Structure formats: structure tokens, C-alpha cells
Amino acid sequence: YLRHGLSLLDPTTRWGSFYDLTLEMSTSLCELEASAGLFNESKVTANEIITNAVCPDDKLRAYNALIDSLYLDDDVRQAYDLCRALLPGLGVKLPKKACSRHVAVAFVKTRCAAHDLKKRDVGSCTKRKTISIMK
């Protein structure tokens, strides 16, 4: 249903004309694809969201689904590298010589914090607020 709903919107203008609707439908689709084991489709949808989302907060769920898809598709190294690249931008400090254990612990803490975000918090798109919530 989500894929069909997105197909009803003009792909060249939907992110500009129907941003909130496109973001919510695309993000839900991305998560469902990852949950259903459609990893390639989920990666494509996540990359579309990451490319078109206006603020970092709008990309969080897509990054989460992308990391899940990479990990579950046995591309653990790429999932690890993506976590390592994203966590500092979310205010998580990693040791200079971070091992996979450091990244995994920071990722789990950040994921739990992101899971607790309410829609009103995510909709504000303020990096300072996101970082303070995640701390």
C-alpha cells in the first residue's frame, strides 16, 4: 500500500510539494522492507530518504533501517562503518581508536534514545535538541 501510495505522487515533485507525507510513507516503507527481508529495496528507499530529507532528524529512521538491512544482509562491515560515521554527528564521542565493541555500545545507546523520541521531538529538526535527548 505504501509503495502504491508513493507511486500516486509525482516522483519529481513529491519531496517538495508533499514533504511530510512523502517522508512518512517512505520511512514506513523502508522499515517494512527491512523487516520483510527486502534488503535491496530497503537500501534504495533509505538512500532516497537520506538524499531528500531536509534535516538530520528526518533521516534517523532511514539510517536505522539501512543499518538493519546491511547487517541482516551479511554486510556487517558496511553497517559498522556507517555507524562509526554517523555516531559522532549525533553527539556520541567515540575513542580515537574505537573498536567494534565501542561502536556497538554507542549504537545501541543511540538507538534506544532515538526509539524514545516522540513525533513532536523529531519534527522540531533541531540538532541541539536531538543531541540533548539522546544524551
Side-chain angles (χ1 to χ4, degrees):
Y1 291 111
L2 291 167
R3 193 173 291 121
H4 180 68
L6 285 168
S7 73
L8 296 174
L9 301 172
D10 181 355
T12 60
T13 61
R14 67 182 175 206
W15 283 98
S17 301
F18 303 100
Y19 180 80
D20 290 334
L21 178 63
T22 303
L23 177 65
E24 187 58 38
M25 287 176 35
S26 296
T27 302
S28 295
L29 176 62
C30 183
E31 292 169 338
L32 288 170
E33 289 169 336
S35 295
L38 303 170
F39 304 126
N40 290 332
E41 292 87 340
S42 180
K43 292 173 195 174
V44 169
T45 305
N47 286 324
E48 180 184 347
I49 296 164
I50 292 163
T51 301
N52 291 290
V54 231
C55 68
D57 292 336
D58 288 349
K59 299 177 185 186
L60 286 175
R61 288 173 54 199
Y63 275 125
N64 187 41
L66 179 57
I67 290 165
D68 284 348
S69 290
L70 290 169
Y71 179 77
L72 294 170
D73 200 22
D74 291 329
D75 199 347
V76 177
R77 184 64 196 184
Q78 193 172 351
Y80 168 83
D81 290 342
L82 182 57
C83 287
R84 188 176 168 101
L86 290 173
L87 289 172
L90 295 171
V92 178
K93 293 184 181 184
L94 294 172
K96 289 195 188 249
K97 294 183 179 183
C99 67
S100 58
R101 184 179 60 81
H102 293 116
V103 174
V105 168
F107 173 69
V108 169
K109 286 181 182 178
T110 304
R111 190 172 189 182
C112 289
H115 181 67
D116 291 338
L117 289 174
K118 299 202 180 336
K119 262 194 170 183
R120 67 178 190 284
D121 296 326
V122 174
S124 68
C125 290
T126 59
K127 188 174 182 181
R128 182 181 304 152
K129 186 173 185 176
T130 301
I131 291 170
S132 69
I133 289 169
M134 291 195 178
K135 284 184 180 176

